[in-house]
Amino acid sequence: MPFNVLLLPLLGGYVFITYWNHTRFSARRYSGQRLLFHAALAGVVLLILSYVTVHLIEWRWPRAAMTWQSWVPFAHSGTSLGALLLGVTLWWPLNLVFTRPSEVKRTIEKWNDYLEELLNQAQEDTRQVSATLRSGKVYVGFIVRTFDPTYDRKYIVILPTMSGYRTDTTHQVVFNTDYTRVYQVLMEEDESRLVRGVSDFQVVIPVSEVLSANLFDWEAYERFNELTPPSEA
């Protein structure tokens, strides 16, 4: 088989690994040579599938094979083009099985990124997260942006419900701002705030500034600290 015929399977392999959920997140972080190797490996698999498919067509519909050969008089052109077509289409039905949420979770676990595991769990379960910054500022709220493992996360976008700070001596958290009260007042004044609320009040936090993070439960916090919630003070 001429080497120029292998260009289409290589292109098909590249498209396949960058769109199939099972490989796309890792593929887009590969260096040039490693990406080329994985694309070539996928291309070989697609070429084999195409080869088998083309020979089945030739056996079942020989007239169609002869017509194609008269139109495109190049050896193995049908196999090469078939590999490309498989590469640009096969990922779609496979993604119905390898869904994005499950593959995102698998990728995060594979990379042992514990912060991402925490944020992903919080978003899936609609739970609040407490983030302590290097400045001592503390935010509690909901994660409002999804994570794409294709790229390194540089920021955390949070819709705060409480904020405060850690004391210099005991490092105990002191909450001094209750955002939920503000949200309620603003929405009573203007109901459209309910729709615009997330974009109006979300806070963008650089990951490099996060000193620690954990899932937050107010009842557990109250028990541990023996404090009365600010909303009940």
Side-chain angles (χ1 to χ4, degrees), residues 39-106:
L41 187 61
V44 169
V45 175
L46 295 173
L47 192 62
I48 293 173
L49 292 175
S50 179
Y51 179 83
V52 173
T53 303
V54 167
H55 276 69
L56 287 175
I57 293 175
E58 289 179 347
W59 171 75
R60 184 65 179 82
W61 297 286
R63 187 178 297 275
M66 293 176 60
T67 302
W68 171 265
Q69 191 62 36
S70 65
W71 289 351
V72 187
F74 300 104
H76 310 291
S77 58
T79 302
S80 180
L81 181 60
L84 174 62
L85 293 177
L86 285 173
V88 299
T89 59
L90 189 58
W91 58 267
W92 185 81
L94 288 176
N95 280 353
L96 298 178
V97 179
F98 296 86
T99 60
R100 190 181 189 282
S102 64
E103 290 305 308
V104 166
K105 185 175 182 179
R106 183 192 63 82

Side-chain angles (χ1 to χ4, degrees), residues 8-219:
L8 293 181
L10 178 62
L11 179 59
Y14 171 77
V15 173
F16 180 77
I17 66 173
T18 54
Y19 281 91
W20 184 28
N21 287 334
H22 191 67
T23 56
R24 63 178 295 189
F25 303 119
S26 298
R28 296 190 182 183
R29 288 192 175 190
Y30 289 155
S31 60
Q33 291 183 345
R34 190 176 183 186
L35 178 61
L36 180 62
F37 172 78
H38 283 271
L41 187 61
V44 169
V45 175
L46 295 173
L47 192 62
I48 293 173
L49 292 175
S50 179
Y51 179 83
V52 173
T53 303
V54 167
H55 276 69
L56 287 175
I57 293 175
E58 289 179 347
W59 171 75
R60 184 65 179 82
W61 297 286
R63 187 178 297 275
M66 293 176 60
T67 302
W68 171 265
Q69 191 62 36
S70 65
W71 289 351
V72 187
F74 300 104
H76 310 291
S77 58
T79 302
S80 180
L81 181 60
L84 174 62
L85 293 177
L86 285 173
V88 299
T89 59
L90 189 58
W91 58 267
W92 185 81
L94 288 176
N95 280 353
L96 298 178
V97 179
F98 296 86
T99 60
R100 190 181 189 282
S102 64
E103 290 305 308
V104 166
K105 185 175 182 179
R106 183 192 63 82
T107 302
I108 293 173
E109 292 175 350
K110 178 182 176 181
W111 291 346
N112 291 325
D113 192 326
Y114 299 115
L115 177 60
E116 292 298 349
E117 287 187 34
L118 175 72
L119 300 179
N120 191 58
Q121 179 185 350
Q123 193 166 37
E124 283 186 350
D125 300 339
T126 319
R127 295 185 61 182
Q128 296 189 77
V129 169
S130 172
T132 300
L133 310 187
R134 296 185 184 277
S135 63
K137 183 76 173 181
V138 178
Y139 283 102
V140 173
F142 297 96
I143 303 298
V144 296
R145 293 288 180 90
T146 58
F147 169 58
D148 187 348
T150 303
Y151 310 99
D152 290 324
R153 186 196 288 269
K154 293 181 174 57
Y155 301 95
I156 298 173
V157 183
I158 190 173
L159 179 65
T161 56
M162 302 287 294
S163 69
Y165 61 92
R166 290 189 181 273
T167 61
D168 294 332
T169 54
T170 64
H171 301 290
Q172 187 176 20
V173 178
V174 176
F175 289 115
N176 54 15
T177 304
D178 184 351
Y179 289 85
T180 57
R181 291 183 175 181
V182 178
Y183 299 155
Q184 184 175 2
V185 171
L186 290 176
M187 285 186 292
E188 288 175 353
E189 295 175 353
D190 182 3
E191 292 183 356
S192 64
R193 284 280 188 172
L194 181 62
V195 179
R196 307 198 317 265
V198 173
S199 59
D200 285 352
F201 300 105
Q202 65 186 15
V203 176
V204 180
I205 304 172
V207 171
S208 59
E209 292 299 311
V210 177
L211 194 61
S212 65
N214 60 274
L215 296 176
F216 185 83
D217 181 270
W218 185 260
E219 292 183 2

